[in-house]
Amino acid sequence: MGNEHDEVVVQEVGLRDGLQRLSSIMPTGDKKHWIDTAYAAGVRHMELASFGVLATLPQLIDGAELVAHARRHDGLVITAVATDEAGARAALACGVHRIVAPISASALHSLSNVRRTPREMIEEFRKIRELRDRTDGTRSTKVVAALATALGCAYKGAVPHVEVCDVALQAVDAGCDELALADTTGLATPDKVVDLIEILRPFCSDKLKTAHFHNTCGLGLANVVAALQCGIHSFDSSLAGLGGADGPKSASGNVVTEDLVFMLESMGYRTGIDLRKLMGCRTVLNRTFGQRALEGFVARSGVPDEFQLQPMLWSSTHA
Amino acid sequence: MGNEHDEVVVQEVGLRDGLQRLSSIMPTGDKKHWIDTAYAAGVRHMELASFGVLATLPQLIDGAELVAHARRHDGLVITAVATDEAGARAALACGVHRIVAPISASALHSLSNVRRTPREMIEEFRKIRELRDRTDGTRSTKVVAALATALGCAYKGAVPHVEVCDVALQAVDAGCDELALADTTGLATPDKVVDLIEILRPFCSDKLKTAHFHNTCGLGLANVVAALQCGIHSFDSSLAGLGGADGPKSASGNVVTEDLVFMLESMGYRTGIDLRKLMGCRTVLNRTFGQRALEGFVARSGVPDEFQLQPMLWSSTHA
């Protein structure tokens, strides 16, 4: 089940995906504080902004300011979502390191999400990549195609593997640097994650690196383990599981960053994140969302003493 | 990852492990209603009582009455915990179908839990098995050794595999019909589950059938998937995740039955349980524990419409 001591990237997406659909608006100062404390805890990958059709959402209106703030931190890899060429231009102007464009395998979801068919979105992605090539001669800014609805769609249910492979192949052809797998509905199960990755691999030319799972049905961590087994070593998650939409009957939040870090480190993977310091980052969320909105099993049970003192104690093969 | 359409046993342990350490006492009438509604939802395996050192706990004092009530339901497999020979006698007198005795690999936990060393507990288990043989000539009542602290101990941290293999081997030698793996601390991770089962198998003579995981750090379902991959097809869980102890800093509850059934059925396993009817069973818990104490991701997000209409829709390999 993977090699112990492998590094795994945990990307904090709470400041974008986490906040995007919540009705409460987090003050910009609090967001900056969140960035600073997460960085101090060792988080080195953050998705901070969305440019394009979502940029005017009041939840995300301060994206450019957040990117500028985050750029003060050495070694922090900053990602922004861009849904179109204009969005990518704004992201490049801010100096982000990664631009993620959502490409849905499901046409209905694609139209709803970015107002383009999958084929139109591939063309837009090609323009984003060409814009990056012109603007950034060294191509140090990476362009990432996020395969939305790869594991199911709220409109059409299951999405046939062939449709996912098709958009993946087109994204590679359009020059993406990376592919990301997104469980948009939160209804993926571990067997389906394994099946899809195995089928998708030959079409991805080693570019499939990241997975994004939700916790709608509590399967986020189980799906991470399944993806780890398939060689994925980069995962999105959200502090306190922030995300989804307020109210009942809506998809619940992202994988909880704290629980993900606990699991990975307990399994012997290195995330570079100090779990106890990470727990402290939660306090900034209280003011806007209140304690009850904050998810997390480890937050509730407390970080086990043994984890703090001697993480390797948990590996009984060493006892 | 296992074969689709395999049957998986989901044993409801909420009425024993779920209630045992909670400060609120559930009325016997409500417990009977829980048994009846769970049975109506298709649950065919329940752990209902504990006899021996725990039998006088006010939370569990009505165990014999519950077993008598449950015996009215055809095909319901009734399990009771027995911590000593006297407890096993009481369980046999009630007419349970399975007697589970906890045998800790950790001596400290064993002394704390059943006031015996592991070796003394093995001897007690042998007496339980001999009592069963004398009382029940057909041996239709099964005696199960539950390997407590197999995946870690609150007192000593990691438990070396050799100590777990040793108690397993002794339990087999003492004549157990089945072995169960118990993550007593709730700190197991999927890699450790796989490692332990693979190492343990040769010592178990095909008797290792069941696993019992907690959700202390949110890894319950991920650990179930790991165990499924190793051929375990029987899992304990608790309605609404009931279990653990009240208050902060205590281990949280069991794997949530509703989420477990959702996951297994979504993966193509057959549990025989109607998920929507199962959700209805939660209401009886409200009176004693209140809505806020009830866990469950599927309860919060709602059973997806597609799951109800057409479970196989979720398997994209069939699309």
Side-chain angles (χ1 to χ4, degrees):
Chain A
M1 195 173 280
N3 297 315
E4 287 191 4
H5 318 306
D6 281 354
E7 288 184 28
V8 172
V9 169
V10 173
Q11 175 170 256
E12 175 61 50
V13 300
L15 285 138
R16 200 281 301 171
D17 196 22
L19 300 175
Q20 183 169 308
R21 281 185 296 272
L22 297 176
S23 57
S24 302
I25 311 293
M26 194 172 185
T28 303
D30 286 358
K31 293 182 184 177
K32 290 180 181 174
H33 183 66
W34 179 357
I35 292 168
D36 297 344
T37 53
Y39 180 82
V43 177
R44 290 294 178 271
H45 299 79
M46 298 186 199
E47 188 175 287
L48 295 176
S50 186
F51 299 104
V53 294
L54 298 175
T56 55
L57 282 177
Q59 292 91 338
L60 302 181
I61 193 82
D62 51 7
E65 185 176 347
L66 296 182
V67 173
H69 179 82
R71 276 174 54 87
R72 301 179 191 175
H73 293 302
D74 281 346
L76 176 57
V77 178
I78 302 168
T79 296
V81 171
T83 55
D84 54 28
E85 189 184 4
R89 188 170 291 116
L92 285 163
C94 294
V96 303
H97 307 107
R98 290 168 82 245
I99 295 174
V100 177
I103 302 180
S104 299
S106 156
L108 284 169
H109 179 266
S110 190
L111 286 167
S112 158
N113 194 40
V114 294
R115 304 172 199 168
R116 287 184 171 85
T117 65
R119 201 159 288 269
E120 288 167 349
M121 192 58 203
I122 289 283
E123 284 318 300
E124 195 70 18
F125 184 80
R126 191 185 300 274
K127 290 182 196 165
I128 290 173
R129 195 265 304 159
E130 289 168 352
L131 174 70
R132 187 279 316 265
D133 294 351
R134 287 196 304 275
T135 314
D136 172 11
T138 63
R139 300 186 185 186
S140 62
T141 304
K142 302 301 176 194
V143 290
V144 182
L147 302 174
T149 68
L151 287 149
C153 168
Y155 301 99
K156 70 180 279 184
V159 176
H161 286 153
V162 64
E163 295 180 17
V164 184
C165 291
D166 183 47
V167 290
L169 200 55
Q170 291 185 61
V172 171
D173 184 62
C176 71
D177 295 309
E178 288 177 32
L179 285 164
L181 208 59
D183 176 23
T184 309
T185 59
L187 293 172
T189 52
D191 56 322
K192 290 174 192 60
V193 171
V194 171
D195 285 352
L196 177 61
I197 294 176
E198 285 178 356
I199 289 171
L200 203 48
R201 269 283 180 228
F203 299 93
C204 293
S205 162
D206 290 332
K207 295 189 175 191
L208 181 58
K209 297 193 187 300
T210 297
H212 177 105
F213 296 116
H214 284 263
N215 228 359
T216 312
C217 299
L219 298 182
L221 293 180
N223 289 331
V224 166
V225 174
L228 276 168
Q229 289 177 311
C230 298
I232 302 291
H233 279 74
S234 175
F235 297 96
D236 289 353
S237 62
S238 179
L239 189 67
L242 223 64
D246 292 330
K249 281 284 174 193
S250 58
S252 68
N254 289 280
V255 170
V256 177
T257 305
E258 307 89 295
D259 292 349
L260 176 61
V261 169
F262 172 81
M263 182 181 83
L264 291 170
E265 293 279 338
S266 296
M267 291 175 77
Y269 293 100
R270 288 189 294 126
T271 65
I273 298 172
D274 181 320
L275 182 57
R276 284 206 172 267
K277 285 187 183 170
L278 184 67
M279 303 306 286
C281 300
R282 294 167 62 97
T283 51
V284 74
L285 304 182
N286 273 344
R287 192 161 12 164
T288 302
F289 303 106
Q291 186 64 36
R292 285 188 60 186
L294 308 189
E295 302 280 336
F297 284 92
V298 177
R300 194 168 50 180
S301 64
V303 178
D305 294 339
E306 295 86 342
F307 182 89
Q308 182 184 29
L309 296 173
Q310 202 177 334
M312 288 315 294
L313 185 68
W314 298 109
S315 176
S316 54
T317 49
H318 295 258
Chain B
M1 194 173 281
N3 297 315
E4 287 191 4
H5 318 306
D6 281 353
E7 288 184 26
V8 171
V9 169
V10 172
Q11 175 170 254
E12 175 62 50
V13 300
L15 285 138
R16 200 281 301 171
D17 196 21
L19 300 175
Q20 183 169 307
R21 281 184 297 273
L22 297 176
S23 57
S24 302
I25 311 294
M26 193 171 185
T28 303
D30 285 358
K31 293 181 184 177
K32 290 179 181 174
H33 183 66
W34 180 356
I35 292 167
D36 297 343
T37 53
Y39 180 84
V43 177
R44 290 294 179 271
H45 299 79
M46 298 186 199
E47 188 176 285
L48 294 177
S50 186
F51 299 104
V53 294
L54 298 174
T56 55
L57 282 177
Q59 291 90 340
L60 302 181
I61 193 82
D62 52 6
E65 186 176 346
L66 296 181
V67 174
H69 178 82
R71 276 173 54 86
R72 301 180 192 175
H73 293 303
D74 282 346
L76 176 57
V77 178
I78 303 169
T79 296
V81 171
T83 55
D84 54 26
E85 190 184 3
R89 188 171 292 115
L92 285 163
C94 294
V96 304
H97 307 107
R98 290 169 81 246
I99 295 174
V100 176
I103 302 179
S104 298
S106 157
L108 285 168
H109 179 266
S110 190
L111 287 167
S112 157
N113 193 42
V114 294
R115 305 172 198 167
R116 287 184 171 84
T117 65
R119 200 159 290 269
E120 288 167 348
M121 192 59 202
I122 289 282
E123 284 318 301
E124 196 69 18
F125 184 79
R126 191 184 300 276
K127 289 181 197 166
I128 291 173
R129 195 264 304 158
E130 289 168 353
L131 174 70
R132 187 278 314 267
D133 293 352
R134 287 195 305 273
T135 313
D136 172 12
T138 63
R139 301 185 185 186
S140 62
T141 305
K142 302 301 176 195
V143 290
V144 182
L147 303 174
T149 67
L151 287 149
C153 168
Y155 301 100
K156 69 180 279 183
V159 176
H161 287 153
V162 64
E163 296 180 19
V164 184
C165 291
D166 184 46
V167 291
L169 200 55
Q170 291 185 60
V172 171
D173 185 60
C176 72
D177 296 310
E178 288 177 31
L179 286 164
L181 208 60
D183 176 23
T184 309
T185 58
L187 294 171
T189 50
D191 56 323
K192 290 174 191 60
V193 171
V194 171
D195 285 352
L196 177 61
I197 294 176
E198 285 178 355
I199 288 171
L200 204 48
R201 269 284 179 227
F203 300 93
C204 294
S205 162
D206 290 334
K207 295 189 175 191
L208 181 58
K209 297 194 188 299
T210 298
H212 177 105
F213 297 116
H214 284 264
N215 228 0
T216 312
C217 298
L219 299 182
L221 293 179
N223 288 331
V224 166
V225 174
L228 276 169
Q229 289 176 312
C230 297
I232 302 291
H233 279 72
S234 174
F235 298 96
D236 289 353
S237 63
S238 179
L239 189 67
L242 222 63
D246 292 330
K249 281 285 174 193
S250 58
S252 68
N254 289 280
V255 171
V256 177
T257 305
E258 306 89 296
D259 292 349
L260 177 61
V261 169
F262 172 81
M263 182 181 83
L264 291 170
E265 293 278 337
S266 295
M267 290 175 77
Y269 292 100
R270 288 189 293 127
T271 65
I273 298 172
D274 181 321
L275 182 58
R276 285 208 172 264
K277 285 187 183 170
L278 184 67
M279 303 306 285
C281 300
R282 294 168 61 98
T283 52
V284 75
L285 303 182
N286 274 344
R287 194 162 9 164
T288 303
F289 303 105
Q291 186 64 35
R292 284 189 60 186
L294 308 189
E295 302 280 338
F297 284 93
V298 177
R300 193 168 51 180
S301 63
V303 179
D305 293 340
E306 295 87 342
F307 182 89
Q308 182 185 28
L309 296 174
Q310 202 178 333
M312 290 314 297
L313 184 67
W314 298 108
S315 175
S316 54
T317 49
H318 296 256

